[in-house]
Amino acid sequence: MADDRGLSFGNKPRETTTTEFANNRAYVIGINAYQNGIPQLRTAVTDAERLGKLLKESHGYNVLTLPCNGAPTLATLRELIHTKM
């Protein structure tokens, strides 16, 4: 199903492509731990890191990956928005 959207996470090589935009950016946030009774996830951080790598290497994006092994705070997200974007 991922191939239907142009993504590939397996060993199958894909053509490297870039878009026509002058400045492609991706802000990828992986959160494994949530609050308020939401069960902890196991692969969100790893998935975010892999997606960031794919976007950078295969599509020429400038990628900022923010893995959050703990629950992100509002202050952390505000800092990301104001200093990195």
Side-chain angles (χ1 to χ4, degrees):
M1 186 175 202
D3 280 335
D4 295 341
R5 296 186 309 259
L7 298 175
S8 174
F9 291 104
N11 294 328
K12 180 177 140 187
R14 297 189 58 87
E15 283 185 35
T16 300
T17 60
T18 58
T19 63
E20 295 180 17
F21 297 107
N23 192 1
N24 296 320
R25 294 183 189 177
Y27 299 91
V28 183
I29 301 172
I31 303 168
N32 278 341
Y34 285 89
Q35 298 175 351
N36 300 321
I38 298 172
Q40 183 165 333
L41 302 176
R42 293 186 307 245
T43 64
V45 170
T46 304
D47 292 346
E49 291 168 347
R50 291 175 70 193
L51 178 60
K53 182 178 178 181
L54 173 78
L55 290 171
K56 182 177 183 177
E57 292 177 359
S58 296
H59 301 285
Y61 275 73
N62 290 323
V63 176
L64 174 66
T65 303
L66 181 65
C68 293
N69 289 316
T73 63
L74 182 57
T76 303
L77 296 175
R78 282 186 175 154
E79 180 182 348
L80 172 68
I81 291 168
H82 293 292
T83 63
K84 304 291 184 180
M85 293 182 172

